[in-house]
Every structure is written in structure tokens, then in C-alpha cells.
Amino acid sequence: MNAVLFGPPGSGKGTQARAVCERFAMAHVSTGDLLREAVADQTDLGRQAQAIMAAGKLVPDDLVGGIVRERIARETIANERRSACGGNERGILFDGYPRNLEQARFLDACLQDFGTRIDAAAVLEIAEEELVKRICGRRLCSNDPCGGSYNIYSMPPREEGKCDRCGSDLIRRKDDNEETLRERLAVYSGQTAPILGYYEEKDLLIRVAANGSVSDVRGSLLSGIAAKCGV
Ligand code: AMP
């Protein structure tokens, strides 16, 4: 069973992706993570992708498609080994891919080549104003090892601007500002809306309200995927 997960920045997609992979024993394939690894390792791909990623633009389809195909091939081989030993096959949860219609079509073609397909596409839906509160209200402890994390709207510190745990000043991450966030959200919805239509037409789309608690969202997401995939 394979699925795709969509969600705007701040929707908790990373956390929910981990829960889906755990529940359905899937491999988590995040193209953002794979590209960051390639950059860190300074592979050919990493060198080509580095400046594009730094500018917040999309890495060309053929480069990203290459790593996706390679991952699907690797998972297919691993599944053959698992079945040979009487084990269960593992599906893939795609995160950050596809990001446009060409990638969605490529993914379908690629999976078909390996005898499989996408069974569900879930999208975490949350109002833009809620995301602005979540991200722009976030405050972190300036004392790195402490790891204190707050939100001035939903989880304020006892004393304004100070960490409850160690008393250090609270700071705001540079990219947690409203202007950057609104720009990232505009890019997300511009890219994602057409792909959602693609999966909706195939009756694979699951819309999940993501404004509740982490565990409520997890419950709706897991039951939505289970129902769509008949598991
Ligand atoms: P992410 O962690 O998903 O936000 O991805 C970080 C960056 O990696 C993006 O801003 C893009 O530059 C690049 N990237 C990740 N996934 C893709 C994709 N499917 N297509 C093109 N570029 C991607």
C-alpha cells in the first residue's frame, strides 16, 4: 500500500507522516530529506540542487524523479527479499512529492513499472490564520541545550519572554515571520491545488481537518487512510 501526504508548512505533516509510517509499516520517502542528504554528501545531484533549494525554488523534475525512481526500485528489491522470507511487504509514504502534475504522472508511471500504485492521497487542511498563529507565535529558548519551546497564543511561558525551565530569553526563529510564511503558503497552495484535483478525480483523495490536537488529527488521518485502502 502506497500513499501521498500533503500539508502546508506548520500543519504538522512531519509528525503525522511518522505516525502513518508506524501504523501501516510504510517507508517514509521525503524528497526534501533526500535532497538535503545529497547536498550534505555533495553528490552530483546535491551540487546541482544546492543553489536551487537555497533560493526556495523547485529542483527540476528529472533530477527529483531520478531519486524517487531509485527509492522505489530499492524498496521493491527489499520487498522481494521480505516476501521470500515470509515477511510482509512495506509500502511507501511519499512526502513532498509530487509537487506538480508532471511529477504526479511520473510517480504513477514509475509505480506501475514496479507493479504497484498509489492507494490514497491525504491532505492536511488548516486555515491560513491558524498557521500564522502557530508559526509566528512560536518562541524557542535561546539556551540551545534546554530545548524549551512555547507559543505565545496557545502555550505561553509563565513570564513573558523567559523560558519556564531555565529562565533564559526566548527567541523567534528567523524564518518564523509572517511575510516568509505567507509566501511559503502561497507557493504551497499554488502548487498543491492542481495535484489535489488529480487525485480527487481518481477517487483517492482524503481531506483531513488539521486544526485539532496532534492526536485528533492522527486519528482522523489514520482512519481515513485505512478506509480508503480497505485495511
Ligand atoms: P521540503 O523539505 O519538502 O520543504 O523541500 C525542501 C526543498 O527541496 C524544496 O524547497 C525544493 O527546493 C526541494 N524539493 C523537495 N521536494 C521537491 C520536489 N518534489 N520537486 C522539486 N523540488 C523539491
Side-chain angles (χ1 to χ4, degrees):
M1 159 182 149
N2 304 298
V4 178
L5 182 61
F6 298 103
S11 62
K13 179 162 64 84
T15 307
Q16 300 299 348
R18 280 192 293 279
V20 171
C21 289
E22 207 169 283
R23 163 70 179 79
F24 299 107
M26 297 166 101
H28 182 199
V29 171
S30 150
T31 43
D33 286 351
L34 292 173
L35 287 166
R36 278 184 288 274
E37 262 172 45
V39 171
D41 295 345
Q42 283 293 291
T43 61
D44 274 354
L45 165 68
R47 279 195 293 271
Q48 291 178 74
Q50 192 160 16
I52 304 171
M53 290 173 74
K57 300 223 163 66
L58 284 190
V59 173
D61 289 349
D62 57 332
L63 293 183
V64 191
I67 50 171
V68 167
R69 192 178 179 89
E70 196 182 301
R71 267 314 293 267
I72 296 172
R74 259 175 46 197
E75 288 298 325
T76 306
I77 293 169
N79 276 335
E80 283 164 3
R81 292 210 187 103
R82 283 188 198 102
S83 318
C85 303
N88 290 328
E89 295 197 356
R90 192 166 81 143
I92 300 177
L93 178 70
F94 293 93
D95 173 356
Y97 192 91
R99 269 200 168 69
N100 58 39
L101 277 177
E102 288 67 35
Q103 293 185 0
R105 293 195 187 101
F106 176 84
L107 180 59
D108 280 349
C110 214
L111 289 169
Q112 196 176 8
D113 288 347
F114 289 97
T116 182
R117 65 193 159 96
I118 292 294
D119 301 288
V123 56
L124 302 177
E125 296 189 314
I126 179 163
E128 185 162 326
E129 289 320 308
E130 177 61 27
L131 290 174
V132 170
K133 273 190 182 173
R134 278 193 191 183
I135 292 193
C136 302
R138 186 153 63 183
R139 298 291 181 275
L140 304 171
C141 180
S142 55
N143 169 23
D144 232 17
C146 166
S149 174
Y150 305 84
N151 187 291
I152 55 170
Y153 303 107
S154 55
M155 214 202 341
R158 282 193 296 269
E159 186 188 342
E160 200 186 317
K162 298 282 176 203
C163 179
D164 289 354
R165 296 200 214 166
C166 72
S168 301
D169 288 343
L170 297 182
I171 51 167
R172 203 171 161 170
R173 242 172 51 179
K174 220 173 44 211
D175 54 349
D176 282 355
N177 68 72
E178 192 166 335
E179 197 188 335
T180 311
L181 175 65
R182 295 226 187 245
E183 173 63 29
R184 287 166 68 206
L185 291 175
V187 170
Y188 168 80
S189 45
Q191 284 170 357
T192 313
I195 320 178
L196 297 186
Y198 177 84
Y199 289 112
E200 196 150 39
E201 268 175 29
K202 294 176 182 285
D203 193 26
L204 296 176
L205 193 67
I206 304 159
R207 295 181 185 274
V208 177
N211 49 342
S213 68
V214 172
S215 65
D216 285 351
V217 176
R218 184 174 53 227
S220 313
L221 178 61
L222 297 183
S223 57
I225 293 178
K228 188 61 86 183
C229 301
V231 292

